[in-house]
Amino acid sequence: MSSRYFYRGHEVFIGVSPNIRIEGGNYYCSLWRSIDGQLHRVEISALPDRKTKASAQRDLNKWAESKKLKEA
């Protein structure tokens, strides 16, 4: 199951990167949704774009644990 976390008043979760598209696939990254529904990438070096959702989720879980973030 995908964990979501609260960070700076926003819910952070893993999704398809809105900025990177590759032929034959997508990249996954940590995202947050603004009040108007727009998706934004969490711009932190510990949360790079990944080729698999599972590896992006591992990065997010590790980072959230280091920051002691609460699950959403």
Side-chain angles (χ1 to χ4, degrees):
M1 177 159 188
S2 298
S3 296
R4 294 169 172 249
Y5 300 93
F6 289 114
Y7 178 65
R8 295 186 176 175
H10 299 284
E11 190 174 333
V12 177
F13 56 95
I14 298 300
V16 175
S17 177
N19 301 324
I20 300 176
R21 295 283 187 265
I22 58 171
E23 194 171 311
N26 295 307
Y27 274 84
Y28 296 89
C29 65
S30 298
L31 301 169
W32 62 276
R33 188 179 309 275
S34 60
I35 221 164
D36 64 358
Q38 298 274 338
L39 291 177
H40 303 276
R41 212 174 148 266
V42 180
E43 301 281 342
I44 295 174
S45 62
L47 301 172
D49 290 335
R50 296 290 189 186
K51 289 183 181 180
T52 67
K53 188 173 184 177
S55 59
Q57 187 66 55
R58 279 192 299 273
D59 289 342
L60 177 58
N61 293 346
K62 183 178 176 182
W63 175 76
E65 183 179 327
S66 74
K67 297 290 185 187
K68 297 182 172 126
L69 300 181
K70 293 184 180 186
E71 280 195 53

